[in-house]
Amino acid sequence: IDSTGYKYEVWRDGYIASLECFDNGGYEVYIKAASSAIVRFGLEFDEPKSFDQFGNFAADYEYDESANVAGYYFIGIYGVTTEPHIEYYIIDDWRLADTIAAETIFGEKVGEFTVDGDTYDIWQNTANKELRVQGDMSFKQYFNIRRNTRKSGHIDITAHFKKWEELGMKVGKLVDLKALVEAWSAKNHITFINFSKFEITETADTSSVTPADSTGETTAI
Protein backbone atom coordinates (compact mmCIF):
# COMPACT_ATOMS: atom_id res chain seq x y z
CA ILE A 1 0.00 0.00 0.00
CA ASP A 2 1.38 3.44 -0.92
CA SER A 3 0.92 6.79 0.86
CA THR A 4 -2.41 7.39 -0.90
CA GLY A 5 -3.85 4.13 0.38
CA TYR A 6 -3.76 2.53 -3.06
CA LYS A 7 -2.60 -1.04 -3.38
CA TYR A 8 -0.26 -2.02 -6.19
CA GLU A 9 1.11 -5.02 -8.02
CA VAL A 10 3.92 -5.58 -10.51
CA TRP A 11 4.23 -8.61 -12.80
CA ARG A 12 6.93 -9.30 -15.32
CA ASP A 13 8.33 -11.95 -17.62
CA GLY A 14 11.77 -10.69 -18.53
CA TYR A 15 14.36 -8.28 -17.23
CA ILE A 16 12.86 -5.31 -15.36
CA ALA A 17 9.45 -3.96 -14.35
CA SER A 18 9.16 -1.55 -11.44
CA LEU A 19 6.83 0.96 -9.81
CA GLU A 20 7.96 3.86 -7.61
CA CYS A 21 5.32 5.69 -5.53
CA PHE A 22 5.85 9.27 -4.33
CA ASP A 23 4.30 11.09 -1.37
CA ASN A 24 2.90 13.79 -3.67
CA GLY A 25 0.70 11.23 -5.43
CA GLY A 26 3.00 10.69 -8.39
CA TYR A 27 4.09 7.34 -9.81
CA GLU A 28 6.92 6.19 -12.05
CA VAL A 29 6.75 2.97 -14.06
CA TYR A 30 9.91 1.57 -15.64
CA ILE A 31 9.96 -1.47 -17.94
CA LYS A 32 13.01 -2.75 -19.82
CA ALA A 33 13.43 -5.85 -21.98
CA ALA A 34 10.35 -7.51 -20.50
CA SER A 35 8.50 -9.79 -22.89
CA SER A 36 5.46 -9.15 -20.73
CA ALA A 37 5.03 -6.61 -17.94
CA ILE A 38 1.98 -5.42 -15.99
CA VAL A 39 1.93 -2.63 -13.39
CA ARG A 40 -1.29 -1.72 -11.56
CA PHE A 41 -2.15 0.57 -8.64
CA GLY A 42 -5.45 1.68 -7.15
CA LEU A 43 -8.37 0.37 -5.10
CA GLU A 44 -9.07 -3.14 -3.84
CA PHE A 45 -12.37 -3.96 -2.15
CA ASP A 46 -12.46 -6.26 0.88
CA GLU A 47 -16.18 -6.83 0.36
CA PRO A 48 -16.92 -6.80 -3.39
CA LYS A 49 -20.21 -5.13 -4.38
CA SER A 50 -21.86 -4.45 -7.72
CA PHE A 51 -20.92 -1.09 -9.23
CA ASP A 52 -24.42 0.33 -8.70
CA GLN A 53 -24.01 -0.21 -4.95
CA PHE A 54 -21.23 2.36 -5.04
CA GLY A 55 -21.37 5.97 -6.09
CA ASN A 56 -20.04 7.21 -9.43
CA PHE A 57 -16.42 6.17 -9.98
CA ALA A 58 -14.11 8.37 -12.03
CA ALA A 59 -10.37 8.77 -12.55
CA ASP A 60 -8.33 11.87 -13.31
CA TYR A 61 -4.78 11.48 -14.52
CA GLU A 62 -1.82 13.07 -16.27
CA TYR A 63 1.44 11.49 -17.37
CA ASP A 64 4.24 11.61 -19.89
CA GLU A 65 5.93 8.61 -21.44
CA SER A 66 8.85 7.39 -23.41
CA ALA A 67 8.15 4.09 -25.08
CA ASN A 68 10.26 2.07 -27.47
CA VAL A 69 7.99 -0.93 -27.79
CA ALA A 70 8.35 -3.90 -30.12
CA GLY A 71 4.91 -5.32 -29.34
CA TYR A 72 2.28 -3.18 -27.62
CA TYR A 73 1.44 -1.09 -24.61
CA PHE A 74 -1.82 -0.10 -22.89
CA ILE A 75 -2.40 2.65 -20.33
CA GLY A 76 -5.73 3.16 -18.63
CA ILE A 77 -8.01 1.48 -16.09
CA TYR A 78 -8.14 -2.21 -15.17
CA GLY A 79 -10.15 -4.32 -12.79
CA VAL A 80 -11.54 -7.73 -11.94
CA THR A 81 -15.08 -8.64 -10.95
CA THR A 82 -16.62 -11.75 -9.49
CA GLU A 83 -20.10 -13.20 -10.08
CA PRO A 84 -19.34 -13.29 -12.99
CA HIS A 85 -15.56 -13.34 -13.13
CA ILE A 86 -14.33 -10.90 -15.75
CA GLU A 87 -11.39 -8.62 -16.47
CA TYR A 88 -12.29 -5.13 -17.66
CA TYR A 89 -10.12 -2.56 -19.41
CA ILE A 90 -10.69 1.12 -20.23
CA ILE A 91 -7.74 2.07 -22.43
CA ASP A 92 -6.96 5.75 -23.05
CA ASP A 93 -3.47 5.43 -24.53
CA TRP A 94 -2.19 2.47 -26.50
CA ARG A 95 0.01 1.26 -29.29
CA LEU A 96 0.05 -1.97 -31.30
CA ALA A 97 2.86 -3.11 -33.53
CA ASP A 98 1.91 -3.48 -37.19
CA THR A 99 2.40 -7.23 -36.91
CA ILE A 100 -0.29 -7.61 -34.22
CA ALA A 101 -3.95 -7.82 -35.26
CA ALA A 102 -6.37 -6.15 -32.87
CA GLU A 103 -8.55 -9.28 -32.84
CA THR A 104 -5.64 -11.29 -31.43
CA ILE A 105 -5.77 -9.32 -28.18
CA PHE A 106 -9.23 -7.76 -28.03
CA GLY A 107 -11.39 -10.47 -29.60
CA GLU A 108 -14.61 -9.29 -31.25
CA LYS A 109 -15.77 -5.70 -31.65
CA VAL A 110 -19.32 -5.47 -30.26
CA GLY A 111 -20.12 -1.75 -30.26
CA GLU A 112 -19.03 1.79 -29.53
CA PHE A 113 -20.09 4.74 -27.43
CA THR A 114 -19.10 8.31 -26.75
CA VAL A 115 -18.10 9.64 -23.34
CA ASP A 116 -15.60 12.16 -21.98
CA GLY A 117 -15.19 13.85 -25.34
CA ASP A 118 -14.43 10.87 -27.57
CA THR A 119 -15.65 7.54 -28.94
CA TYR A 120 -14.57 4.24 -27.43
CA ASP A 121 -14.66 1.00 -29.43
CA ILE A 122 -16.04 -1.86 -27.34
CA TRP A 123 -14.50 -5.32 -27.64
CA GLN A 124 -15.08 -8.63 -25.90
CA ASN A 125 -12.71 -11.56 -25.66
CA THR A 126 -12.57 -14.93 -23.92
CA ALA A 127 -9.40 -15.75 -22.01
CA ASN A 128 -8.23 -19.10 -20.72
CA LYS A 129 -5.73 -18.46 -17.96
CA GLU A 130 -5.42 -18.04 -14.21
CA LEU A 131 -7.69 -15.31 -12.87
CA ARG A 132 -6.39 -14.10 -9.54
CA VAL A 133 -9.69 -14.38 -7.67
CA GLN A 134 -10.68 -17.82 -8.92
CA GLY A 135 -7.79 -19.87 -10.30
CA ASP A 136 -7.63 -21.59 -13.67
CA MET A 137 -10.78 -20.90 -15.67
CA SER A 138 -12.22 -19.45 -18.86
CA PHE A 139 -13.55 -15.92 -18.45
CA LYS A 140 -14.59 -12.83 -20.38
CA GLN A 141 -12.49 -9.74 -20.97
CA TYR A 142 -14.08 -6.38 -21.80
CA PHE A 143 -12.02 -3.73 -23.61
CA ASN A 144 -13.12 -0.13 -24.24
CA ILE A 145 -10.48 1.46 -26.48
CA ARG A 146 -10.39 5.25 -26.93
CA ARG A 147 -9.96 6.22 -30.58
CA ASN A 148 -8.00 9.41 -29.86
CA THR A 149 -5.14 8.45 -27.59
CA ARG A 150 -4.34 10.92 -24.82
CA LYS A 151 -2.05 11.36 -21.83
CA SER A 152 -4.32 13.30 -19.48
CA GLY A 153 -8.00 13.62 -18.78
CA HIS A 154 -11.08 12.45 -16.92
CA ILE A 155 -12.53 8.94 -17.19
CA ASP A 156 -16.14 8.39 -16.11
CA ILE A 157 -15.61 4.76 -15.13
CA THR A 158 -19.21 4.15 -14.09
CA ALA A 159 -20.40 5.24 -17.56
CA HIS A 160 -18.35 2.37 -19.02
CA PHE A 161 -19.88 -0.10 -16.56
CA LYS A 162 -23.38 1.06 -17.54
CA LYS A 163 -22.63 0.74 -21.25
CA TRP A 164 -21.36 -2.82 -20.85
CA GLU A 165 -24.52 -3.74 -18.95
CA GLU A 166 -26.64 -2.11 -21.68
CA LEU A 167 -24.97 -4.41 -24.23
CA GLY A 168 -25.64 -7.49 -22.10
CA MET A 169 -22.03 -7.67 -20.92
CA LYS A 170 -22.59 -8.36 -17.24
CA VAL A 171 -20.37 -6.51 -14.78
CA GLY A 172 -20.04 -8.46 -11.55
CA LYS A 173 -19.01 -7.41 -8.07
CA LEU A 174 -15.93 -5.19 -8.09
CA VAL A 175 -12.79 -6.83 -6.72
CA ASP A 176 -10.47 -3.98 -7.71
CA LEU A 177 -10.26 -0.77 -9.72
CA LYS A 178 -6.74 0.31 -10.71
CA ALA A 179 -4.54 2.25 -13.06
CA LEU A 180 -2.95 -0.01 -15.65
CA VAL A 181 0.35 0.02 -17.51
CA GLU A 182 0.83 -3.10 -19.60
CA ALA A 183 3.59 -3.63 -22.16
CA TRP A 184 5.10 -6.34 -24.29
CA SER A 185 8.57 -5.35 -25.31
CA ALA A 186 11.84 -6.95 -26.37
CA LYS A 187 15.57 -6.80 -25.81
CA ASN A 188 16.85 -3.23 -25.34
CA HIS A 189 13.34 -1.78 -25.53
CA ILE A 190 12.31 0.55 -22.72
CA THR A 191 8.97 1.93 -21.53
CA PHE A 192 9.03 4.77 -18.99
CA ILE A 193 5.80 6.29 -17.63
CA ASN A 194 5.77 9.25 -15.22
CA PHE A 195 2.37 9.94 -13.63
CA SER A 196 2.26 13.42 -12.15
CA LYS A 197 -1.37 12.74 -11.21
CA PHE A 198 -3.62 9.74 -10.77
CA GLU A 199 -6.71 9.84 -8.58
CA ILE A 200 -9.82 7.68 -8.34
CA THR A 201 -12.90 9.39 -6.91
CA GLU A 202 -16.34 8.18 -5.89
CA THR A 203 -19.26 10.62 -5.83
CA ALA A 204 -22.95 10.24 -5.17
CA ASP A 205 -23.92 11.84 -8.50
CA THR A 206 -24.13 9.19 -11.22
CA SER A 207 -25.94 11.30 -13.79
CA SER A 208 -23.19 13.50 -15.19
CA VAL A 209 -20.63 12.78 -17.85
CA THR A 210 -17.75 15.25 -17.93
CA PRO A 211 -16.25 15.99 -21.36
CA ALA A 212 -12.48 16.12 -21.58
CA ASP A 213 -10.27 17.47 -24.31
CA SER A 214 -8.25 14.75 -25.98
CA THR A 215 -4.68 15.00 -27.10
CA GLY A 216 -2.52 12.63 -29.09
CA GLU A 217 -2.85 10.87 -32.37
CA THR A 218 -6.09 9.52 -33.79
CA THR A 219 -6.00 5.75 -33.96
CA ALA A 220 -8.78 3.56 -35.31
CA ILE A 221 -8.95 -0.20 -34.79
Side-chain angles (χ1 to χ4, degrees):
I1 300 177
D2 68 8
S3 61
T4 66
Y6 291 160
K7 296 185 179 180
Y8 56 87
E9 52 192 340
V10 178
W11 305 82
R12 67 174 173 83
D13 179 9
Y15 183 44
I16 295 174
S18 67
L19 171 68
E20 187 169 1
C21 310
F22 299 99
D23 290 338
N24 65 359
Y27 300 86
E28 286 186 353
V29 177
Y30 178 72
I31 299 169
K32 180 178 180 181
S35 59
S36 179
I38 300 171
V39 178
R40 306 174 185 135
F41 51 92
L43 301 176
E44 294 183 2
F45 304 103
D46 293 332
E47 296 183 10
K49 298 183 294 184
S50 61
F51 74 88
D52 53 4
Q53 293 178 290
F54 293 95
N56 186 62
F57 282 118
D60 293 277
Y61 70 93
E62 183 173 356
Y63 67 88
D64 56 61
E65 55 89 10
S66 175
N68 181 9
V69 179
Y72 64 79
Y73 76 81
F74 308 140
I75 300 173
I77 300 295
Y78 168 90
V80 171
T81 78
T82 185
E83 300 178 37
H85 298 280
I86 66 164
E87 288 182 334
Y88 63 86
Y89 297 78
I90 303 168
I91 306 300
D92 265 24
D93 192 11
W94 56 277
R95 189 181 303 168
L96 289 182
D98 293 339
T99 56
I100 299 176
E103 291 80 4
T104 302
I105 298 174
F106 305 132
E108 177 187 6
K109 184 177 176 181
V110 296
E112 62 184 49
F113 86 124
T114 299
V115 66
D116 296 326
D118 198 24
T119 298
Y120 287 77
D121 292 305
I122 304 171
W123 296 69
Q124 182 174 264
N125 201 6
T126 300
N128 294 281
K129 61 180 181 180
E130 181 177 342
L131 188 63
R132 172 163 42 87
V133 297
Q134 181 70 17
D136 290 334
M137 64 179 298
S138 174
F139 59 93
K140 296 294 185 181
Q141 295 174 310
Y142 304 161
F143 296 90
N144 283 7
I145 313 295
R146 188 180 177 94
R147 290 183 182 174
N148 292 285
T149 61
R150 61 177 180 169
K151 294 177 173 55
S152 65
H154 175 88
I155 303 176
D156 186 338
I157 298 169
T158 296
H160 291 263
F161 292 154
K162 289 180 176 180
K163 185 62 180 181
W164 285 325
E165 290 272 338
E166 179 185 320
L167 293 174
M169 300 164 66
K170 177 66 177 177
V171 178
K173 296 180 179 180
L174 300 183
V175 175
D176 55 7
L177 173 58
K178 293 177 179 175
L180 167 73
V181 177
E182 181 171 344
W184 168 41
S185 189
K187 185 178 181 181
N188 298 325
H189 287 81
I190 294 173
T191 301
F192 180 82
I193 311 294
N194 179 22
F195 284 87
S196 57
K197 176 182 182 179
F198 179 80
E199 182 181 14
I200 297 173
T201 56
E202 179 188 356
T203 62
D205 182 8
T206 61
S207 62
S208 64
V209 174
T210 304
D213 293 333
S214 62
T215 58
E217 59 183 306
T218 301
T219 315
I221 303 178

